[in-house]
Amino acid sequence: MTYHGSVLKKGGALLLAGTIVAATWGGTAVPPAFAAAATPSSQTSTAATLAGKVPVSAATFVQAMEEAATLAGVPFTMDKPSGATLSRKDAALALQQWLKLDAAPESFQDVPNQSEYASAVGALNAAGLMKGYTDSLFLPNAVLTTNDVSVLKDRIYNYIKPFVLEEATIMDMQTAMAQGKLTSKELVQQYLDRIAKYDDQGVSINAVLNLNPDALKIAEQLDEERAAQGIRGPLHGIPILVKDNFDTQGMPTTAGCICLKDSIPAHDAEQVKKLEGSGSDYFGQNQLA
């Protein structure tokens, strides 16, 4: 019967999980033989390692998450768990509720598919906030330690902090779009606003020669494609400018020479074709220098 197979699967997983737990949380005392042979520097290192494995209370966990929210400037509305310690599964449930993460499937052998916390574990794992201890084990009943909370606080802060365009990398943009903080259309508009503010007036940098009038429309289409099919690659929905010596169909390509101001190529350069094929949003040309 499938039930028996499931029991065997979970039983084996829990046995392995128990071995890991015993090795990881099996006590904080340093064996006498080891302590006697340890040098002062190794004793300090051992003490620091053991300190990181000290279980934390639910209140400490909540305080750390509130600090992350404060740093990010976002509201903190977590239902506060209680208890002397907090298990990984209960932390997952609390975080899913606070962050309003959509349920997601999980494949950990020690997380029963019908358990009340399975979807929360899947959601936190999919978001990259709580991973398993191995590819197959989550250890849902293990208690959170000071190290766990420190890592969680950093991940949560980076997950919830608002997107800031200045100095944002391509990966920052992709992460923001994956989290629903940003769309490609909004990203293109932010860049268009900056070009209007700094390139066309004010300090008048004059770095951008031409803008693609269809840039916002293309961005909207790429957003729809992302939602329906996923992304083509790391450049999906990312606005790009190309230098004025790359042929761009339908737009002047002058190589910086005013005598070519009316030169409009009939075809895109091979590099431009590859960029468009990657899902990037070509939205203009910039100066050569």
Side-chain angles (χ1 to χ4, degrees), residues 144-164:
L144 287 184
T145 66
T146 52
N147 279 345
D148 294 332
V149 172
S150 177
V151 171
L152 266 176
K153 180 179 177 179
D154 183 63
R155 290 177 179 173
I156 293 294
Y157 167 74
N158 284 294
Y159 185 87
I160 63 178
K161 67 180 181 181
F163 174 77
V164 179

Side-chain angles (χ1 to χ4, degrees), residues 84-251:
T85 59
L86 187 70
S87 67
R88 284 168 54 80
K89 66 183 180 184
D90 289 337
L93 285 166
L95 289 170
Q96 184 194 30
Q97 174 272 326
W98 169 37
L99 300 174
K100 296 180 172 58
L101 299 176
D102 293 333
E106 52 73 33
S107 59
F108 296 111
Q109 294 181 4
D110 56 351
V111 176
N113 294 333
Q114 302 305 317
S115 64
E116 63 175 356
Y117 58 86
S119 62
V121 169
L124 270 293
N125 184 55
L129 298 176
M130 288 186 76
K131 298 291 189 178
Y133 275 87
T134 69
D135 290 340
S136 59
L137 295 176
F138 183 78
L139 303 188
N141 294 314
V143 296
L144 287 184
T145 66
T146 52
N147 279 345
D148 294 332
V149 172
S150 177
V151 171
L152 266 176
K153 180 179 177 179
D154 183 63
R155 290 177 179 173
I156 293 294
Y157 167 74
N158 284 294
Y159 185 87
I160 63 178
K161 67 180 181 181
F163 174 77
V164 179
L165 182 64
E166 294 81 0
E167 305 301 327
T169 66
I170 289 175
M171 289 308 299
D172 292 336
M173 298 172 191
Q174 289 292 2
T175 299
M177 286 190 278
Q179 293 174 355
K181 298 178 184 177
L182 182 72
T183 65
S184 180
K185 185 176 181 180
E186 291 169 343
L187 181 59
V188 170
Q189 187 61 62
Q190 288 187 34
Y191 274 116
L192 291 175
D193 292 342
R194 286 182 63 80
I195 290 170
K197 182 176 181 180
Y198 298 111
D199 199 71
D200 300 338
Q201 59 184 341
V203 293
S204 298
I205 298 172
N206 196 30
V208 180
L209 295 176
N210 299 297
L211 289 172
N212 185 352
D214 295 325
L216 287 171
K217 180 179 178 181
I218 293 171
E220 189 171 5
Q221 293 170 347
L222 290 168
D223 284 332
E224 293 171 355
E225 181 180 327
R226 176 190 293 269
Q229 304 173 23
I231 63 173
R232 301 184 202 177
L235 292 180
H236 189 107
I238 303 298
I240 61 169
L241 291 169
V242 299
K243 285 191 174 183
D244 190 33
N245 56 353
F246 286 89
D247 282 349
T248 50
Q249 182 181 9
M251 296 183 67

Side-chain angles (χ1 to χ4, degrees), residues 11-36:
L14 291 174
L15 178 60
L16 179 55
T19 303
I20 294 177
V21 171
T24 307
W25 288 280
T28 59
V30 180
F34 177 81

Side-chain angles (χ1 to χ4, degrees), residues 251-275:
M251 296 183 67
T253 300
T254 71
C257 180
I258 193 170
C259 65
L260 296 175
K261 64 182 178 64
D262 296 322
S263 173
I264 301 178
H267 305 285
D268 287 328
E270 186 64 25
Q271 296 91 334
V272 175
K273 288 181 182 177
K274 290 181 178 180
L275 285 170

